[in-house]
Amino acid sequence: MTAAREQIHRLAERLAVEEYGGEIVVEPIPGYQMLTRRRLVDPLPGVRAARTLANAARGLLVEQARDARAAGRSWDEIGEALGLPNGAADEVRAEVAFAEVVEGRRAEPAWRSFEAPSTYWRCGCCGELVTDYGTGSSSHPDDQETGHGETCARHGASLTKWRTDTGWSD
């Protein structure tokens, strides 16, 4: 982790504890005798803290871009500082920078993946690595998450709730 990212991580952790009532636990990393990791007991205060930081960073980006324009910098130079390539998504870098900073929209990628967007996490119940596709495509738990163990109580409870809510039985 870079030094800047580490500082942001620590700031988010501090916000989660001080502003949102989070609690930190230090636990051993499975498979290692001497290594530990810090984490929030309940991750939701961390989500709130991360959103607070994202909103603050967004405001700071707009403020700094205004200051850069006031200092005579071009939108192309601002785009370069943002790490935007020239010609991203068939637009010149200056247009993409303006759209991102002023309009709050990111340039669309030049190509789209055929795979559904997903994330992954380790299930706290079964310990398996789960791929999470979100709730957009289907309400069935097997369409939203894959990878749970066959006897996972968490996934089993999701299936039971789905069957009760929909009246269906797979």
Side-chain angles (χ1 to χ4, degrees):
M1 202 180 304
T2 67
R5 185 175 168 153
E6 180 66 27
Q7 288 177 4
I8 292 168
H9 185 83
R10 292 291 180 212
L11 178 58
E13 185 178 88
R14 196 173 92 224
L15 276 172
V17 170
E18 294 175 7
E19 298 296 323
Y20 300 109
E23 182 182 342
I24 300 292
V25 64
V26 178
E27 62 186 11
I29 296 175
Y32 297 93
Q33 293 179 351
M34 303 297 291
L35 298 178
T36 60
R37 72 177 186 132
R38 294 171 54 94
R39 70 172 182 84
L40 290 162
V41 173
D42 178 3
L44 289 182
V47 170
R48 289 181 182 100
R51 171 56 77 187
T52 298
L53 285 173
N55 289 340
R58 171 84 185 125
L60 183 59
L61 172 61
V62 170
E63 181 182 320
Q64 293 300 314
R66 283 182 191 148
D67 289 349
R69 291 292 291 140
R73 296 299 190 147
S74 69
W75 279 108
D76 186 65
E77 290 174 304
I78 292 169
E80 185 178 356
L82 289 171
L84 300 172
N86 198 11
D90 297 329
E91 293 182 293
V92 296
R93 180 172 40 213
E95 292 171 1
V96 175
F98 183 86
E100 183 172 327
V101 173
V102 176
E103 299 172 19
R105 67 179 169 92
R106 299 289 301 226
E108 293 294 320
W111 59 274
R112 294 243 184 236
S113 172
F114 291 105
E115 296 182 22
S118 64
T119 188
Y120 62 92
W121 38 268
R122 188 141 324 260
C123 179
C125 186
C126 67
E128 296 295 326
L129 189 63
V130 173
T131 302
D132 188 336
Y133 300 100
T135 60
S137 61
S138 168
S139 65
H140 195 284
D142 288 341
D143 295 333
Q144 295 175 357
E145 299 173 1
T146 59
H148 287 282
E150 288 185 30
T151 60
C152 180
R154 174 185 176 160
H155 189 61
S158 294
L159 287 168
T160 300
K161 182 176 182 337
W162 178 83
R163 289 182 187 116
T164 302
D165 290 349
T166 63
W168 288 55
S169 61
D170 294 329

